[in-house]
Amino acid sequence: MYAEHVEIFDPSFKSLVQGNVYMERLWTGARWTEGPAYFAAGRYLIFSDIPNNRMMRYDETDGGVSVFRQPSNNSNGNTRDREGRLVTCEHLGRRVTRTEHDGSITVIADRFEGKRLNSPNDLVVHPDGGIWFTDPTYGIDVDYEGGRAESEIGASNVYRVDPSTGAVEAVATDFVKPNGLAFTPDYSQMVIADTGMSHVENGPKHLRRFAVVDGKRLSGGDGIFADCTYGLFDGFRFDEHGNIWSSAGDGVHCLNADGALIGKLKVPEVVANVCFGTAPRNRLYICGTSSLYATYLRTNGAPYPG
């Protein structure tokens, strides 16, 4: 028997989920939660509440939730770099920033070819230190989660920030609205979500898979790796076996390495993003619309990122 939030489509999913655990709502009170990032050294989770212009901090030791930063420039995606520093996408600031160990903030990227970015959305860090991020227009479309403005670039691209020079390079320019992204556990491939259905009738709501060449550029990605069957794929993470745990309209969808849907974790709110936490990385933190959820799994998240 499995808890009522577990929906199995393929027997392989049974080896990934616990039959005797439940979906926990850890906190509620947000307008739109996003961007969870886990910091093992402090046993806490940082996540964004975009419309409320704040970042929240969940303390794993006592279950408390407090405001980490407000205002946050309508922060969206968060991750940590190889030195354990917080790296953040800001909608209102239209930039990618890094929070240093002393609390000061460094701007990583805010322009491409002299033009302001749209509204950086989600990001990941490569072992070489390069920061990869998506830049759709959600933060400049309306004032609700950023500031309404015209796109100076005129496109929604995926970028890489060179760790040595700081140069911002476009690595994918054929997306409608690039959104979540993640490297496979061995960093040989990258999967990127396109949520263009939000702007284009019958537009994309799928994942595309690319080869990572020399850690600096992408190739392939011409076909659809997986299409979302309920709502949109937004943020997602890989487990150690190469399965994808992705946000969707009805919860979290689990896709195997071939892109097939093998199971779901039902959540009572639309899910925007997920990440793995705890020391063994066997707890999945889930950002629902107004709430933070979590459940324990039998699988473990890929070692990096959190």
Side-chain angles (χ1 to χ4, degrees), residues 152-170:
E152 295 184 14
I153 297 171
S156 295
N157 300 325
V158 183
Y159 299 100
R160 174 184 179 267
V161 182
D162 187 276
S164 300
T165 66
V168 180
E169 307 160 293

Side-chain angles (χ1 to χ4, degrees), residues 103-162:
S104 61
I105 294 176
T106 300
V107 177
I108 301 299
D110 61 359
R111 294 180 182 271
F112 173 64
E113 296 182 343
K115 300 175 181 179
R116 291 192 72 187
L117 298 171
N118 297 323
S119 55
N121 191 283
D122 204 358
L123 73 172
V124 288
V125 180
H126 189 273
D128 68 5
I131 296 172
W132 300 58
F133 68 95
T134 57
D135 187 41
T137 60
Y138 294 116
I140 59 173
D141 288 336
V142 295
D143 293 317
Y144 183 62
E145 54 183 79
R148 187 189 301 270
E150 293 294 322
S151 171
E152 295 184 14
I153 297 171
S156 295
N157 300 325
V158 183
Y159 299 100
R160 174 184 179 267
V161 182
D162 187 276

Side-chain angles (χ1 to χ4, degrees), residues 65-278:
V65 175
S66 58
V67 175
F68 174 76
R69 179 180 296 158
Q70 189 174 30
S72 66
N73 279 329
N74 298 112
S75 67
N76 188 336
N78 298 286
T79 192
R80 70 179 193 276
D81 69 8
R82 292 285 163 166
E83 286 71 47
R85 297 170 295 188
L86 173 67
V87 189
T88 299
C89 289
E90 298 180 3
H91 275 189
L92 185 62
R94 299 172 69 171
R95 63 187 189 173
V96 176
T97 61
R98 182 178 64 228
T99 301
E100 307 295 347
H101 292 303
D102 65 1
S104 61
I105 294 176
T106 300
V107 177
I108 301 299
D110 61 359
R111 294 180 182 271
F112 173 64
E113 296 182 343
K115 300 175 181 179
R116 291 192 72 187
L117 298 171
N118 297 323
S119 55
N121 191 283
D122 204 358
L123 73 172
V124 288
V125 180
H126 189 273
D128 68 5
I131 296 172
W132 300 58
F133 68 95
T134 57
D135 187 41
T137 60
Y138 294 116
I140 59 173
D141 288 336
V142 295
D143 293 317
Y144 183 62
E145 54 183 79
R148 187 189 301 270
E150 293 294 322
S151 171
E152 295 184 14
I153 297 171
S156 295
N157 300 325
V158 183
Y159 299 100
R160 174 184 179 267
V161 182
D162 187 276
S164 300
T165 66
V168 180
E169 307 160 293
V171 292
T173 58
D174 60 345
F175 279 79
V176 180
K177 297 297 171 191
N179 205 313
L181 74 170
F183 290 106
T184 54
D186 64 359
Y187 291 91
S188 66
Q189 297 179 326
M190 170 174 274
V191 175
I192 306 173
D194 195 334
T195 52
M197 193 178 74
S198 63
H199 283 63
V200 178
E201 186 175 0
N202 298 319
K205 53 182 180 66
H206 56 236
L207 302 177
R208 293 166 60 189
R209 181 171 59 180
F210 298 81
V212 179
V213 181
D214 298 327
K216 297 180 179 180
R217 59 187 178 87
L218 302 176
S219 68
D222 300 324
I224 296 173
F225 176 61
D227 199 56
C228 190
T229 58
Y230 197 109
L232 301 168
F233 291 132
D234 190 335
F236 54 93
R237 286 290 179 259
F238 280 90
D239 68 21
E240 61 186 354
H241 304 295
N243 301 299
I244 295 174
W245 298 80
S246 177
S247 60
D250 57 348
V252 178
H253 291 194
C254 183
L255 314 174
N256 66 17
D258 296 321
L261 177 64
I262 60 174
K264 295 182 182 181
L265 303 179
K266 305 300 287 290
V267 179
E269 301 182 65
V270 173
V271 173
N273 215 327
V274 304
C275 81
F276 289 91
T278 73

Side-chain angles (χ1 to χ4, degrees), residues 2-6 17-24 295-297:
Y2 288 86
E4 60 182 10
H5 72 280
V6 176
V17 293
Q18 294 277 10
N20 61 341
V21 301
Y22 294 88
M23 182 65 64
E24 305 170 75
T295 189
Y296 284 94
L297 302 173

Side-chain angles (χ1 to χ4, degrees), residues 43-60:
R43 294 187 62 191
Y44 63 86
L45 181 85
I46 298 296
F47 62 101
S48 298
D49 179 5
I50 305 175
N52 280 323
N53 196 19
R54 62 184 180 173
M55 299 165 73
M56 309 301 293
R57 180 184 184 274
Y58 169 74
D59 189 330
E60 198 174 65

